[in-house]
Amino acid sequence: MALSAAPGCRAGERGPRCRRPWKLLALGLLSASSVLAAAPGAGAMSREEKRRLGNQVLEMFDHAYSNYMEHAYPADELMPLTCRGRVRGQEPSRGDVDDALGKFSLTLIDTLDTLVVLNKTKEFEEAVKKVIKDVNLDNDIVVSVFETNIRVLGGLLGGHSVAIMLKEKGEYMQWYNGELLHMAKELGYKLLPAFNTTSGLPYPRVNLKFGVRHPEARTGTETDTCTACAGTLILEFAALSRFTGTSIFEEYARKALDFIWEKRQRSSNLVGVTINIHTGDWVRKDSGVGAGIDSYYEYLLKAYVLLGDDSFLERFNTHYDAIMRYISQPPLLLDVHIHKPMLNARTWMDSLLAFFPGLQVLKGDIRPAIETHEMLYQVIKKHNFLPEAFTTDFRVHWAQHPLRPEFAESTYFLYKATGDPYYLEVGKTLIENLNKYARVPCGFAAMKDVRTGSHEDRMDSFFLAEMFKYLYLLFADKEDMIFDIEDYIFTTEAHLLPLWLSTTNQTISKKNTSTEYTELDDSNFDWTCPNTQILFPNDPMFAQSIREPLKNVVDKSCPRGISRAEESLGSGPKPPLRARDFMASNPEHLEILKKMGVSLIHLKDGRVQLVQHAVQAASSLDAEDGLRFMQEMIELSSQQQKEQQLPPRAVQIVSHPFFGRVVLTAGPAQFGMDLSKHKAGTRGFVATIKPYNGCSEITNPEAVKEKIALMQRGQCMFAEKARNIQKAGAIGGIVIDDNEGSSSDTAPLFQMAGDGKNTDDITIPMLFLFNKEGNIILDAIREYEAVEVLLSDKAKDRATIFKGKMIPNYIIDSNLEMENMDQKSSENDSHKPNSEEAPSESQDAGAVSEEPEGGGESSAVGDPAPLSPASAASASVSMADQDPHASGPAETSALEPACTPGDSQPQEQNTQTEASSKAHWDSKVQPMESILADWNEDIEAFEMMEKDEL
């Protein structure tokens, strides 16, 4: 497949005469006739199958959107487990995550142009009227400048863009008179006070009513912001300037970009994650393409596409060259230090970097895009979703997945650039997994833990704004669209801005001449503007040949790679000190640690904590040795804590009307049945015991026999409760926290320990639920009486749960052919989960063995145990709660572990528990009968779609 340049456009040339061919590549909308051969046996997807999948995306969108409008609007977001809106201040704070919420109906605004892309023009017209009528932008509330810009300002501008397009076509929006643009301009002025800094970098937060530094603003004291936060403004601000003719917005956004460019590290041409908005000093000096930096690079390239300013392209190319030199280690993308770019800054990757293959497609650099995308896909096939962070040997680092769309975005761009039907199959997998694991009665719930399949009460606005847009476009043909998508560019939130803005109200700005651009190898720019070079050789199997070596990279290998220092020195030096040999009392060992940049901190409890500062190492080689040492120490500590730290468990509600769609995170017990060794789990109806605390003989054994007992925490030891219900004939037990409002969202994973005696007599499984999760089950009992649950190590496929039973059509796994949806799920055994699951990863946990009167506990939290008889040190890495756009520790703690012969799945590290929100079904919740009525409508719609297709 070849891309031809415009007449007179040479290889690597930039400028206006390259604009039209560039646009074709930038949007990834190449002719569908340029189809590469698929992998052997795959074949091209039929038009009927593509249409079926496109219709399925539409049905899924309707399920999410209609539930938001009915149960949440005008709130900012839907809480899909408790079926209500998330209103800031009325729910437990989630920290920086809540800065996106401004009481301005966020999800509706973010979804406006998605409605038009999905051909829902009537719904779009109604939505615009609601926004104009109901949305208030003058709330006394502090919001993120970055999130408000990309979601709300971008949403209003995207809505305005498609509104004027529809009005011009003459059928819809004839009444529209730029109302969304007027709102966008009002919001733009509300964001401008954030730019009142000497540097031009904006404050990270602004009060919509009072601005910044006002006595009532409650903001303006911040000193730091992330690079992406300050560098992801130019598209929306420039579009606002050019739509309105008011140049101030574009000028402010350009000034922020200019300042970041000037502050790049000159020798590496990289930027850090966090910068001081007043001095320009780098606060966090690690650099990558994921959280905290990601969309800064994206906007440099897209600003050139939309605005035609060569300086943006030159800056992007300079950064891209540095990324490919230092950060790209195909198929991995690893953070490095900006001053020492040959030194890796961390040993894990975050999910936000999944956008980067798509950006490489826009750049025209296809090979590394295919490689990284395939690596990410293999991680998804292992865990069903892309974990929020994962290690270099593809283990879970942060287990949550908030339904992010970046991987779908890259899949779409790769398909449009290559025409390879392989990417249609990837999109099909994404659809199946969303329906199988994330779909709940009131929408789609984010994954709290990809290992257990548990949910959190969260459906972010970007899920509607981006995920369904990219998935629908992946399967849509040109004739399925009511407008030409090639006339628009996507913002980082997938909002549509028309390319004709490049010649409208153009801001006249002088090219930045304060610094010279680094002289780079011209070959780096060969594909920056499409030219006569072909993206693929004549061999149609080229894309497959790139992917093939990565097929088993996740499950069957433990890639560590040779460090750059080792590579330059042949076999390279070996670490001078192994963690298993370390003794904190050995002066020689301490001297070696000092040389490697590792320092010791003596804690009050007598333990010693190790902290690694790579910049304090004697040399880069010593720093790498220190990183390896720290990783070995963490692995050693983790192995010694295996018996003390158990992974989370899952409580899955399988009875009507839930049918396995609601999964609750549960804490394990250090006694009783080990659910990880009983893959089928324990299934039964629940029953409340008497007395409810379970601390004496059960007085209602007839109600408990052959059931799973529910009991309250407190007043005696957990093992005593277990023995009492086991004696009464229970097949399992669930202890519910008596602390009102407690939740796994805001508290560490809770483990129930024994009583110091032999607990071999306890043979039933015991799990612990925090108060909010437990109330979901208790409320279900009050509503339905008979409630059946499954206790297991992780959520099960519904086809497995309901094997041999008739179940409603709509809950059968979406990967079964829709024409077979009226059959029993027992006919679909081939869709059982992979039996070779990776071992679950331990979480930081507290183990409590006894509960004195009054409900108090004496506890031993999950601090590392002594590493060995000869060592009193414990390796620990402290990680603060992270902003989704500024993730990762400031100081590196470990490098990836080397593989042990025959060990393809090393023991996993500890991670933090996640925070979000999952409230119980309280009096504010819509009655269950009403929820079921809504669900029945979904069932009927699904069945109608099935009949239409048949």
Side-chain angles (χ1 to χ4, degrees), residues 69 73 132 193 254 293 299 345 361 470 511 533 610 617 627 630 637 648 661 725 762 790 845 860 926:
M69 293 304 297
Y73 182 81
I132 295 171
R254 281 178 177 267
I293 302 179
Y299 269 37
V361 170
Y470 287 125
K511 182 175 178 180
Q533 286 205 33
L610 302 178
L627 291 169
M630 290 295 292
S637 177
R661 288 199 170 275
I725 64 170
I762 302 175
L790 173 65
Q926 189 177 11

Side-chain angles (χ1 to χ4, degrees), residues 651-660 662 664 683-688 703 706-710 731 734 773-791 928:
V651 176
Q652 194 166 6
I653 308 179
V654 298
S655 55
H656 172 84
F658 305 96
F659 296 113
V662 172
L664 307 174
R683 176 173 174 170
F685 288 92
V686 295
T688 304
E706 298 300 321
K707 293 184 179 177
I708 295 173
L710 299 179
I731 60 173
I734 298 176
E773 285 84 348
N775 277 333
I776 290 178
I777 293 182
L778 295 176
D779 289 346
I781 293 175
R782 285 191 284 269
E783 195 73 30
Y784 303 107
E785 296 185 2
V787 174
E788 189 178 16
V789 302
L790 173 65
L791 312 183
M928 196 68 74

Side-chain angles (χ1 to χ4, degrees), residues 607-609 630-649 668-670 749 751 840-847 860-868 873-877 907-911:
R607 292 177 300 126
V608 176
Q609 184 180 42
M630 290 295 292
Q631 181 64 32
E632 290 177 1
M633 190 65 81
I634 291 171
E635 292 292 326
L636 182 60
S637 177
S638 176
Q639 290 172 11
Q640 294 182 349
Q641 294 178 68
K642 281 194 297 182
E643 294 183 359
Q644 298 180 18
Q645 301 227 352
L646 302 176
R649 305 301 188 200
Q670 295 178 359
L749 179 69
Q751 294 185 49
S840 294
E841 178 183 20
S842 298
Q843 294 201 12
D844 294 335
V861 298
D863 289 324
L867 294 172
S868 67
S874 64
S876 63
V877 182
Q907 172 65 31
E908 299 189 352
Q909 298 176 20
N910 297 331
T911 63

Side-chain angles (χ1 to χ4, degrees), residues 289-302:
V289 297
I293 302 179
D294 50 2
S295 48
Y296 163 69
Y297 294 133
E298 178 185 3
Y299 269 37
L300 283 179
L301 184 55
K302 290 183 176 180

Side-chain angles (χ1 to χ4, degrees), residues 391-564:
T391 62
T392 52
D393 50 359
F394 311 113
R395 295 171 292 158
V396 172
H397 186 72
W398 294 338
Q400 68 268 41
H401 171 74
L403 306 182
R404 292 199 186 278
E406 285 78 15
F407 181 78
E409 174 185 1
S410 288
T411 302
Y412 164 65
F413 279 112
L414 270 169
Y415 174 66
K416 293 302 179 181
T418 67
D420 191 340
Y422 176 84
Y423 296 108
L424 297 177
E425 297 296 331
V426 173
K428 182 179 178 180
T429 299
L430 299 182
I431 291 173
E432 291 169 355
N433 289 349
L434 285 171
N435 273 323
K436 286 170 64 176
Y437 304 113
R439 186 172 180 135
V440 295
C442 279
F444 290 83
M447 307 307 295
K448 174 183 278 299
D449 192 316
V450 298
R451 300 161 301 180
T452 65
S454 59
H455 297 133
E456 57 179 306
D457 208 0
R458 172 180 180 181
M459 189 178 82
D460 289 84
S461 68
F462 53 66
F463 182 60
L464 285 166
E466 300 184 67
M467 181 69 81
F468 295 115
K469 191 177 290 175
Y470 287 125
L471 287 178
Y472 181 75
L473 288 172
L474 179 63
F475 296 104
D477 292 322
K478 193 168 184 177
E479 54 267 28
D480 297 326
M481 303 290 296
I482 61 174
F483 66 100
D484 189 353
I485 196 75
E486 291 188 22
D487 291 334
Y488 298 83
I489 190 170
F490 293 116
T491 68
T492 194
E493 192 78 1
H495 293 307
L496 301 179
L497 298 178
L499 289 173
W500 53 257
L501 287 174
S502 62
T503 57
T504 303
N505 294 323
Q506 187 167 358
T507 300
I508 299 177
S509 61
K510 294 182 178 180
K511 182 175 178 180
N512 188 330
T513 57
S514 58
T515 60
E516 294 184 1
Y517 291 94
T518 305
E519 193 66 33
L520 302 173
D521 182 358
D522 287 342
S523 64
N524 182 58
F525 306 132
D526 283 351
W527 293 339
T528 295
C529 182
N531 53 71
T532 53
Q533 286 205 33
I534 57 175
L535 293 180
F536 293 95
N538 293 328
D539 180 8
M541 304 300 287
F542 181 70
Q544 182 197 339
S545 69
I546 297 175
R547 291 192 300 263
E548 200 61 35
L550 302 172
K551 289 295 184 184
N552 300 316
V553 69
V554 172
D555 287 322
K556 296 185 179 180
S557 66
C558 177
R560 189 180 75 84
I562 300 174
S563 71
R564 293 181 176 89

Side-chain angles (χ1 to χ4, degrees), residues 661-794:
R661 288 199 170 275
V662 172
V663 186
L664 307 174
T665 297
Q670 295 178 359
F671 54 85
M673 178 191 292
D674 184 353
L675 291 170
S676 66
K677 297 178 180 178
H678 295 77
K679 292 300 181 183
T682 296
R683 176 173 174 170
F685 288 92
V686 295
T688 304
I689 63 173
K690 296 180 181 178
Y692 189 35
N693 59 33
C695 292
S696 59
E697 185 175 350
I698 306 305
T699 60
N700 61 335
E702 69 286 346
V704 176
K705 188 175 182 180
E706 298 300 321
K707 293 184 179 177
I708 295 173
L710 299 179
M711 68 209 78
Q712 187 179 39
R713 176 186 183 184
Q715 301 184 30
C716 67
M717 290 180 279
F718 294 118
E720 184 177 348
K721 298 174 189 284
R723 291 188 178 98
N724 287 333
I725 64 170
Q726 181 173 287
K727 183 178 178 181
I731 60 173
I734 298 176
V735 178
I736 298 176
D737 193 11
D738 58 343
N739 294 316
E740 186 66 30
S742 67
S743 170
S744 63
D745 301 328
T746 54
L749 179 69
F750 188 92
Q751 294 185 49
M752 298 183 292
D755 54 3
K757 306 173 185 177
N758 190 317
T759 55
D760 291 346
D761 59 313
I762 302 175
T763 59
I764 61 174
M766 293 287 291
L767 295 181
F768 178 89
L769 287 178
F770 282 104
N771 185 263
K772 285 193 173 184
E773 285 84 348
N775 277 333
I776 290 178
I777 293 182
L778 295 176
D779 289 346
I781 293 175
R782 285 191 284 269
E783 195 73 30
Y784 303 107
E785 296 185 2
V787 174
E788 189 178 16
V789 302
L790 173 65
L791 312 183
S792 60
D793 63 330
K794 64 186 300 183

Side-chain angles (χ1 to χ4, degrees), residues 565-616:
E566 291 174 332
E567 192 173 3
S568 65
L569 297 174
S571 60
K574 301 298 181 183
L577 178 63
R578 306 304 299 266
R580 63 175 177 265
D581 302 323
F582 172 69
M583 296 180 62
S585 59
N586 188 323
E588 183 180 353
H589 288 184
L590 298 179
E591 188 63 30
I592 294 173
L593 292 190
K594 183 178 180 181
K595 187 178 179 183
M596 295 190 298
V598 178
S599 57
L600 278 71
I601 300 174
H602 295 272
L603 303 179
K604 292 181 179 180
D605 59 8
R607 292 177 300 126
V608 176
Q609 184 180 42
L610 302 178
V611 180
Q612 208 267 352
H613 301 270
V615 295
Q616 296 178 8

